[in-house]
Amino acid sequence: MLEKQTKPKPLHTEASLLGAMESAGKEVTNEAEREAMKESGIGTPATRAAIIETLFSRNYIVREKKSLVPTDKGLSVYETVKEKRIADVAMTGSWENALAQIERGNMQPETFSKAIEVYTRQITAELLETKIVVAGENTCLCPKCKTAQVRFYPKVAKCTDVNCGLVVFRNISEKQLSDRQITELLTKGKIAVIKGFKSKADKTFDAALKFDENYRVTYDFPEKKSGKGKK
Ligand SMILES: [Zn+2]
């Protein structure tokens, strides 16, 4: 027996992405929608290149040699919208299908236009509720792998190297760690005593924080009373 790992799909080049946009919808399961999309894909021959340019200008992707590499910002946007209808390729298919029905006189244009109105209202509400999480400007050398940088997000700070996996949660027993405090932890391995942590039993306590040998954040009590309060 051979033990092997699956390889991730190779990154898109500009040419392969254009091709993928053109043939988007081949995997749409509804037959009428797939048929209706056959001629369309995502965008038109005139707009596809401009769509890719927009990905560059919004800093969603960068070019590395020939590959298009998603940025942190691009991946955050992707994570946010991937389950939403605005990112659903089948939607284009259903629109193309409806337009074809109108052409053949099988659907009233008003019906389609009403449905678009409802859709627009829903998708706008959905997007307005959305918060896109983007890392702040600060970075700090990762003390665990000692090669990659740690980036600061609203809820966590984490190493950019996923194989390293260092993560520091900002919220610790109802206290929020600032960038400055996390930087202290990353550079010195500990943070001076913080007052007013709240235990699960709703008791307040003071403690310093430090990394344990696996770079997990633990409390550091001045005089060790017990092993309690370990995170
Ligand atoms: Zn690291």
Side-chain angles (χ1 to χ4, degrees):
M1 276 209 301
L2 287 174
E3 207 173 286
K4 290 197 173 176
Q5 283 191 323
T6 53
K7 279 205 191 105
K9 280 190 184 177
L11 287 166
H12 270 302
T13 62
E14 223 151 313
S16 75
L17 183 55
L18 281 171
M21 290 165 83
E22 207 177 320
S23 63
K26 278 206 178 122
E27 282 141 41
V28 170
T29 44
N30 181 302
E31 203 180 322
E33 290 176 5
R34 188 172 58 240
E35 188 58 29
M37 275 195 81
K38 220 167 63 183
E39 306 287 314
S40 59
I42 294 176
T44 68
T47 60
R48 272 172 213 139
I51 292 172
I52 298 180
E53 281 313 308
T54 305
L55 297 179
F56 281 116
S57 68
R58 292 189 186 163
N59 195 27
Y60 290 167
I61 53 173
V62 290
R63 207 178 267 115
E64 263 175 37
K65 290 184 186 153
K66 280 197 160 180
S67 296
L68 305 179
V69 183
T71 61
D72 276 352
K73 185 181 174 194
L75 288 173
S76 302
V77 173
Y78 169 72
E79 283 301 323
T80 308
V81 302
K82 66 175 182 183
E83 304 291 344
K84 299 200 183 336
R85 277 173 309 161
I86 199 160
D88 185 359
V89 175
M91 186 194 69
T92 311
S94 71
W95 286 358
E96 292 292 340
N97 189 28
L99 294 175
Q101 298 291 328
I102 294 170
E103 259 175 47
R104 289 184 215 116
N106 295 337
M107 189 195 271
Q108 293 296 316
E110 292 75 26
T111 313
F112 181 67
S113 143
K114 279 255 160 60
I116 291 285
E117 246 175 67
V118 171
Y119 168 79
T120 310
R121 211 173 298 129
Q122 286 171 343
I123 197 76
T124 311
E126 215 173 71
L127 289 175
L128 284 173
E129 281 172 12
T130 298
K131 279 208 184 82
I132 290 178
V133 180
V134 180
E137 300 284 300
N138 294 344
T139 59
C140 179
L141 183 70
C142 174
K144 188 179 174 192
C145 63
K146 296 181 179 69
T147 45
Q149 293 289 318
V150 174
R151 305 192 83 155
F152 296 78
Y153 295 86
K155 288 186 176 166
V156 294
K158 59 182 175 184
C159 180
T160 48
D161 182 355
V162 286
N163 296 317
C164 164
L166 178 116
V167 178
V168 177
F169 289 92
R170 276 193 199 272
N171 187 312
I172 295 180
S173 298
E174 299 194 17
K175 278 275 166 184
Q176 292 290 326
L177 299 184
S178 65
D179 282 9
R180 195 184 52 75
Q181 285 171 313
I182 295 175
T183 305
E184 196 180 327
L185 183 65
L186 294 169
T187 52
K188 297 180 187 158
K190 57 183 182 189
I191 306 179
V193 173
I194 296 172
K195 294 192 169 175
F197 286 118
K198 247 194 187 133
S199 72
K200 288 206 178 85
D202 219 20
K203 289 209 171 101
T204 55
F205 62 96
D206 307 338
L209 296 174
K210 63 172 183 182
F211 280 128
D212 69 7
E213 61 281 8
N214 299 314
Y215 288 94
R216 292 166 58 120
V217 180
T218 57
Y219 299 117
D220 190 13
F221 296 105
E223 66 255 62
K224 289 216 161 60
K225 287 168 192 163
S226 69
K228 249 182 124 187
K230 238 187 171 188
K231 198 180 151 69

